Amino acid sequence: MTTAPRLEKITPGNFDTAIGLKVRPDQEHLVAPVVKSLAEAYVHPDVAWPRLIMDGERTVGFLMAFFDINWDGDEAGTDLRSGLWRLNIAAGEQGRGYGRFAVEAVAAEIRRRGGTRLTVTWHPGETGPEGFYLGLGFKPTGETSGGQTVGVLETVGVLELEEE
């Protein structure tokens, strides 16, 4: 990182930059392209939170969080969850702390909205991001979603350290 990273909303002025962001070729099967995420955000505006990850004037990544989705789809809506829906770090920017920043930013937003847990899914296997998420403290729940492992991070502990 060269400066403190920050998040930016997707706007008409940065849309082309956002959809041009690419992960490494060997990761393309693990995460949807940004344009698909923005389409999903368009059809799920009440829960999707897409943001560019910026370092100075450089676009280094993209994240999309979700808030208060009815996880199991039951009519009672008793299992509401918030978390990280997508994380795309640009191919030349990986390994510089931007992924950690993204997770911390989503955890902070969940906490700001009154939540205490961050849910994420990842493709299992040695080429997937499991080590990254486990290293940040995510714990597998034993569930799967769309063939992906579901993990949870208790956001309260992360944020209490930042607030001290």
Side-chain angles (χ1 to χ4, degrees), residues 42-126:
Y42 178 80
V43 298
H44 300 287
D46 295 338
V47 298
W49 194 68
R51 296 292 188 269
L52 284 178
I53 305 167
M54 305 295 296
D55 188 348
E57 296 304 310
R58 287 185 2 262
T59 301
V60 298
F62 169 85
L63 69 79
M64 187 161 72
F66 61 89
F67 300 106
D68 297 327
I69 65 163
N70 185 356
W71 187 261
D72 55 13
D74 71 344
E75 288 184 26
T78 56
D79 189 9
L80 295 180
R81 298 190 195 183
S82 298
L84 185 60
W85 191 344
R86 295 273 159 60
L87 178 58
N88 305 53
I89 302 299
E93 303 292 351
Q94 295 181 14
R96 298 180 181 179
Y98 299 121
R100 174 182 282 279
F101 165 77
V103 170
E104 290 172 353
V106 171
E109 184 64 18
I110 289 171
R111 171 110 167 137
R112 188 186 73 74
R113 294 171 182 240
T116 60
R117 294 168 35 123
L118 191 163
T119 301
V120 70
T121 62
W122 64 80
H123 286 280
E126 62 185 61

Side-chain angles (χ1 to χ4, degrees), residues 17-34 37 60-63 86-94 127:
T17 299
I19 65 170
L21 188 127
K22 304 285 185 220
V23 297
R24 292 190 332 241
D26 64 312
Q27 297 170 327
E28 289 174 351
H29 69 286
L30 299 172
V31 65
V34 173
S37 297
V60 298
F62 169 85
L63 69 79
R86 295 273 159 60
L87 178 58
N88 305 53
I89 302 299
E93 303 292 351
Q94 295 181 14
T127 62

